Amino acid sequence: MDDPPPFDVETLARLAGLELPPECVAGVAENLALLAEHARRLAPDAP
Amino acid sequence: MTALEIAAAVRSGATSAVAVAESAIAAIRTRDGAIGAVTRLLAGRALAEAAAVDAAVAAGRDPGPLAGVPYGVKDLFDVAGLPTTAGAAIRRDAVPAAGDAEAIRRMHAAGAVLVATLNMDEFAYGFATVNATWGTTRNPHDPDRLAGGSSGGSAAAVAGGLLPLSLGSDTNGSIRVPAALTGTWGLRPTHGALPMAGVFPFVDSFDDIGPFAATLDDLELAWRVLGGVGEAGPAPRVARLGGWFARDLGEELAAALDALALPSVALADVERARSAAFVMTAGEGGARHLPELRRRALEFDPATRDRLIAGALMPASFYLAAQAFQAPFRAAALRVFEDYDVLVAPTVADVAPRIDDPFVTVAGERVPARAHLGRYTQPLSFIGLPVIAAPLRRPGRLPLGIQLVGRPGGEGALFALARRWEAAGVLGT
């Protein structure tokens, strides 16, 4: 990913008791963004 | 030889189970290097099981309907005395299984002979069978192409003629996708219909096991041995799923589906169903592996690690919204089955992607095959429908496959239609 993630995945990981290795940060952020996109489709008012 | 032919020859004494097992072991030793389907060759166990079958035949006892038939299992079935790796390096030295998975017990009781464990994507999370520890399973029809996954070793072992039967698991398409790409028959049964005891879990909401075979007769026999029930009934009413299932198809597959000349039916909200399956898979998979991810994330396969972590960190509201969508989508699908017994859909849009270019085209964009090969399979397993993954008959060309989809418990109608279309030359290997 070229852009920084729109949320702080390291803090999210710490909340889950996981010290996120630096090599995972971009991939986890990318996958969380993808999950958010899928979740948006499930909203009752989604197009 | 097919499984049925082997069993008949062993039961009649025309050949011995030991000779069949030795032949399968030799085939794996000489030919699997180019395929990469097998993770562990169980030669000692296979020869012992085969000797017991021969002893039963010699004593006049019934050795079972799969007498002496060699088979393999995806590396997530418990095999007594071996670690159940689930395709993960971190489980290579796991405590050995105390006993066999229930499915293996049933195969054993029917006289089948376990010969090998078979490659998969780590923890069954992928459609590629590109594994950082056990390597990439290659497509026997073209070794430069993917075999599909996550049960890629199970499909390739059958497609490559190493074994007549194998067992795999299917959460989002992990039997159906590799069956399509390798030109084998596969069955994902109704959710919960076959025993999961002793199978390493991925996503409890969707996980099921099922067989792969080179022939439809062998597929049905394995399904019945595993515990499948259901009768064919009258000629099934058949329609083709349109909408989502008609988009982004390769030309040859689109033409083959058009040639079936079936009425088209629409199922609403399929894209949402796929999204819901995607979200629930990430959530359940991530939660399952979070304890080990806390301890040793970098020992996971990079291909699955970041997706599992993301699933573990995802808000619970995502998961609950996805889960809430299951009941209405299932109800809508069941309404379609009031008018039809079997729905036909593509399994994968086109032939197997190349290993050095693992992408597929969706809506004009190139996207990774690992995550997107299941776009036609995920919405169906999301609601637990039974599906036969059937190879289109096209000798000499790369395989293409279709899904024959039934209502829950409707496997009999699927076999009836598959048999009719096999006789008509539409389906077959």
Side-chain angles (χ1 to χ4, degrees):
Chain A
M1 289 177 72
D2 296 324
D3 299 325
F7 33 74
D8 179 358
V9 291
E10 287 163 295
T11 300
L12 277 176
R14 252 177 247 123
L15 280 170
L18 199 161
E19 282 301 322
L20 202 58
E23 44 273 78
C24 301
V25 171
V28 171
E30 190 176 4
N31 278 285
L32 262 173
L34 180 61
L35 287 168
E37 187 183 320
H38 281 296
R40 270 195 295 275
R41 280 197 199 108
L42 296 166
D45 55 350
Chain B
M1 287 171 81
T2 70
L4 274 167
E5 290 167 349
I6 291 170
V10 168
R11 290 166 66 90
S12 71
T15 189
S16 73
V18 166
V20 173
E22 286 172 340
S23 175
I25 291 164
I28 288 169
R29 283 188 172 137
T30 55
R31 294 175 41 220
D32 186 55
I35 300 173
V38 172
T39 53
R40 290 174 291 194
L41 180 60
L42 311 176
R45 172 174 172 146
L47 292 172
E49 281 192 323
V53 170
D54 288 337
V57 172
R61 297 195 303 272
D62 182 357
L66 289 175
V69 174
Y71 76 104
V73 294
K74 186 176 183 176
D75 218 338
L76 48 56
F77 286 79
D78 282 355
V79 177
L82 297 179
T84 306
T85 73
I90 64 169
R91 293 193 51 82
R92 211 175 200 160
D93 301 315
V95 176
D100 289 337
E102 176 61 23
I104 294 178
R105 288 185 197 167
R106 293 183 186 185
M107 295 290 281
H108 176 81
V113 171
L114 181 61
V115 175
T117 59
L118 303 167
N119 201 17
M120 58 184 287
D121 290 295
E122 184 183 68
F123 293 124
Y125 205 177
F127 293 118
T129 311
V130 176
N131 187 296
T133 303
W134 282 277
T136 296
T137 296
R138 294 176 178 274
N139 193 318
H141 291 269
D142 178 349
D144 291 330
R145 292 179 185 270
L146 292 171
S150 65
S151 307
S154 302
V158 171
L162 303 177
L163 298 166
L165 283 180
S166 65
L167 303 185
S169 67
D170 186 314
T171 301
N172 283 296
S174 285
I175 287 174
R176 292 164 286 163
V177 169
L181 299 188
T182 63
T184 50
W185 293 90
L187 172 68
R188 181 209 156 87
T190 303
H191 184 55
L194 296 183
M196 295 298 294
V199 178
F200 194 91
F202 175 25
V203 179
D204 290 336
S205 294
F206 310 137
D207 286 347
D208 283 294
I209 62 161
F212 290 87
T215 71
L216 181 60
D217 286 341
D218 285 357
L219 188 81
E220 182 165 7
L221 177 57
W223 171 63
R224 292 197 182 279
V225 161
L226 290 168
V229 293
E231 300 306 321
R237 300 165 297 169
V238 188
R240 174 183 171 185
L241 281 169
W244 173 266
F245 296 96
R247 290 183 209 142
D248 300 309
L249 295 176
E251 283 180 20
E252 287 186 278
L253 184 54
L257 284 164
D258 288 346
L260 296 172
L262 297 169
S264 179
V265 294
L267 186 56
D269 284 334
V270 177
E271 186 171 17
R272 282 183 177 159
R274 190 210 172 203
S275 285
F278 202 100
V279 165
M280 286 179 69
T281 296
E284 290 190 37
R288 181 177 306 287
H289 294 292
L290 182 57
E292 287 293 347
L293 288 165
R294 287 187 183 119
R295 288 184 55 223
R296 43 180 175 169
L298 292 180
E299 294 177 41
F300 279 63
D301 190 329
T304 57
R305 178 193 64 210
D306 295 353
R307 293 195 293 156
L308 288 172
I309 294 174
L313 304 187
M314 178 182 82
S317 58
F318 290 10
Y319 182 89
L320 293 173
Q323 196 178 41
F325 190 64
Q326 249 182 325
F329 186 67
R330 182 184 291 119
L334 293 183
R335 281 196 291 278
V336 175
F337 282 110
E338 289 172 4
D339 297 318
Y340 297 101
D341 303 302
V342 182
L343 303 175
V344 177
T347 312
V348 176
D350 213 328
V351 298
R354 290 182 59 84
I355 291 170
D356 63 2
D357 186 29
F359 289 86
V360 293
T361 301
V362 176
E365 283 187 39
R366 274 164 54 83
V367 293
R370 169 180 283 275
H372 289 273
L373 281 170
R375 55 190 276 103
Y376 303 125
T377 56
Q378 282 175 287
L380 304 169
S381 33
F382 176 59
I383 49 174
L385 302 178
V387 183
I388 285 182
L392 288 172
R393 182 161 168 71
R394 37 190 275 123
R397 289 180 288 171
L398 287 171
L400 290 170
I402 59 174
Q403 299 182 88
L404 309 182
V405 188
R407 64 171 65 82
E411 283 89 340
L414 305 184
F415 278 105
L417 180 64
R419 207 164 290 291
R420 191 206 296 171
W421 283 0
E422 182 187 46
V426 174
L427 302 177
T429 52

